[in-house]
Amino acid sequence: MNKNTKALSLTAAAALTVFALAQVPGKGVLAQFGGGLPAGLEAVIKARELSPDDVEAALKTYVPPGSYDEFLLFASGGQAGNIEVLGVPSMRLIKNIAVFSKDSWQGYGIGDDDSKRLFKQGMAAGKLQEWGDVHHPALSLTNGQYDGQFLFANDKANGRIGVVDLRDFKTRQIVKNPLIATNHCGAKLTENSEYYVEGAQFGNPMPFTNYAPMDKYKELYRGSVTFWPFNRAQGKLDQTKTFTLELPPYYQDLGGMGKKVSHGWVFINTYNAEMATPGALEGKPAMEIQASQREMDYMHVIHWKKAEELLAAGKLKVNVISGMRVIPIAAAVEAGILYNIPEPKSPHGADVTPDGRFVVVSGKLDPHVTIFSFAKIQKAIADKTFDGKDEFGIPIIKFDAAVEAQVELGLGPLHTEYDDKGYAYTSMFLDSSVNKWTLDKGPRGEKPWTMVESLPVHYNTGHLTVAGGDTVKPYGKYLVTLNKWSLDRALPVGPLHPQNLQLIDISGETMKLLADAPVVGEPHYAVMAPAKLFKPWKVYPEVGLNGLTLKKSPTATEPGRERIVRNGRDVHVFMTAIRSRFVPDRIDVREGDRVHLHITNVDRAQDATHGFALSAHNINLSLDPGLTVDVDFTADRSGVFPFYCSEFCSALHMEMMGYLTVAKAKAAGAGG
Ligand code: K7E
Ligand code: CUA
């Protein structure tokens, strides 16, 4: 199955020649090989049974050792709680960014004070959450285009958002929405990263920590969308200035942000307009049946810009719930900022075209994508072309008045993205394919609103991403599908299979599958941008920076100023790390002492990261060059505990160690 068994129409070697010549017309790159194939190359092609397509794919994805990839792909790690960074076209894994889940490689959540602080900000219902379910990474935008500065991730499981600073590719903030239990990300970022837009997922009482009986679902449960202002200078979402729109307890799903002409609006899919509640043992049908009864669900159409203006002028009613400003549905309707449009049932993606003129909705259970026109929506609102109201009083825009076209694509359309030429690409979950189709103008003179190609993928793709495909100016060139099933695509490694990313070349007239890239954790969505957009630090710009504030740490220690300071039962250790030693390297305390380690990596060389692993204390730190990392713990067990550098840093790395000795409280005079 993983072998291309297609009969060779040319010999593979001849294909390579043709391909290579085609790349450089006239001259012919083969000239550098002496005018023909290098000796042995034909033998390799034969021995590996490569088809002409294989050879072409290999040449297109091969990144020679020491060379760099052209694009970076940020793929959500799903229930692994992280974001994986891959190079495109090689599809090599370059980094794992820990966001919601602990990661001992990065010393993230393994004892250090900074991640303790971060995790504390992210507590849900007063409980520490040490994992997350990342669905949608989003890159910060300037004028609707990626600016390479920040990366955002949602945690569906806990209604949280993580902010990653792309100067050092580290998580700098986790916020918890106190109103909702779960989110699924309405629409991510507005055109200039003014807001991160967080839609709820499953309905809950508001706030979710208030109990309400399930048989009062319609009355007491609610959905919502929260607008989190992003303070770019601070690199933080500002929890004090959020506003939330109360929504019916349909399940808010994905959304698309308005762009250009539709900037200021957001479109959010919902499902379960039935407002079904579970009750399998109580004799109710399964949720999947209950929640797919109706032919249509509703897409919320929200004028957030107007809400912002009315709020600023004090002209919009808000209720303060759990410290959040919540605009009631009735007030939103009254102010003309909230509408519904019927959409084919159980929709998933709502994807706005780069020019902002259309919103493409995919209904998982409908073989079409439905294209709504922003201009028509505006007209329908102005003319009040409504079909009554939903049970919550929200006007329902007439479907026919808002729809521009429907394109029949096949089974299970989920998500749509756009390229630089004007094509749309939709992931087909049930058909296991990527389907390419034309918008209102065929780039090569094709008919508008027509499917032009379908490429099989392996298997059951969820999201897909085109480089810049969710911006106002996609880069195109590559498309990656994030497939839910890998089945036979990778070597068998047990019943838990990897997920399978597939790289597809979309630069030519037809799509070409180039590579499989199995990854761990379920990638729901990914964003892809040119690598040259990112300008991360090689080492921290100063020595002694705190990794969370990026300011000079009050506990930074200069070489020669290392010391141990005892203050009652508190023992402060001001330590430096440099190739290949810790100073001090011996810490003697008594049982029950509180130990505070402040370790500064004073190395300035690129890649001179040290680790700090302390035996039996569940502590591992990553000390990147320039950072000061703090960790504190109670030395509550007597014994002798080696600590050592857990990152190979020099020829004498194995000698980079020390001891923590903890004397028995009794022997030391019962704790001084
Ligand atoms: Cu389709 Cu959460 Cu965006 Cu998974 S989601 S696929
Ligand atoms: Cu420092 Cu290994």
Side-chain angles (χ1 to χ4, degrees), residues 16 26 57 81 93 103 106 111 118 185 246 273 278 388 421 452 519 542 547 565 615 618 624:
L16 179 66
L93 177 67
D103 182 290
Q106 294 164 78
L118 264 181
C185 229
E246 178 196 17
K421 303 190 182 73
V452 293
V519 291
E542 271 184 73
V565 181
S615 178
N618 200 29
D624 304 346

Side-chain angles (χ1 to χ4, degrees), residues 35 63 169 195 245 501 565:
V63 176
F169 282 56
Y195 292 98
L245 205 58
L501 306 190
V565 181

Side-chain angles (χ1 to χ4, degrees), residues 259-329:
K259 297 179 186 132
K260 294 190 163 178
V261 289
S262 52
H263 176 63
W265 293 75
V266 54
F267 312 91
I268 301 178
N269 279 332
T270 67
Y271 63 102
N272 194 16
E274 296 82 357
M275 291 181 277
T277 54
L281 279 187
E282 292 74 17
K284 285 193 189 179
M287 281 296 282
E288 59 180 334
I289 295 167
Q290 288 192 68
S292 330
Q293 296 297 307
R294 299 172 44 150
E295 273 316 305
M296 301 298 249
D297 282 296
Y298 296 118
M299 177 167 78
H300 299 312
V301 176
I302 297 165
H303 196 178
W304 65 262
K305 192 83 191 151
K306 190 165 177 191
E308 180 193 56
E309 286 161 11
L310 291 172
L311 280 172
K315 287 188 184 146
L316 201 51
K317 178 184 156 142
V318 292
N319 297 322
V320 175
I321 305 176
S322 301
M324 307 280 281
R325 292 185 296 167
V326 181
I327 304 164
I329 293 175

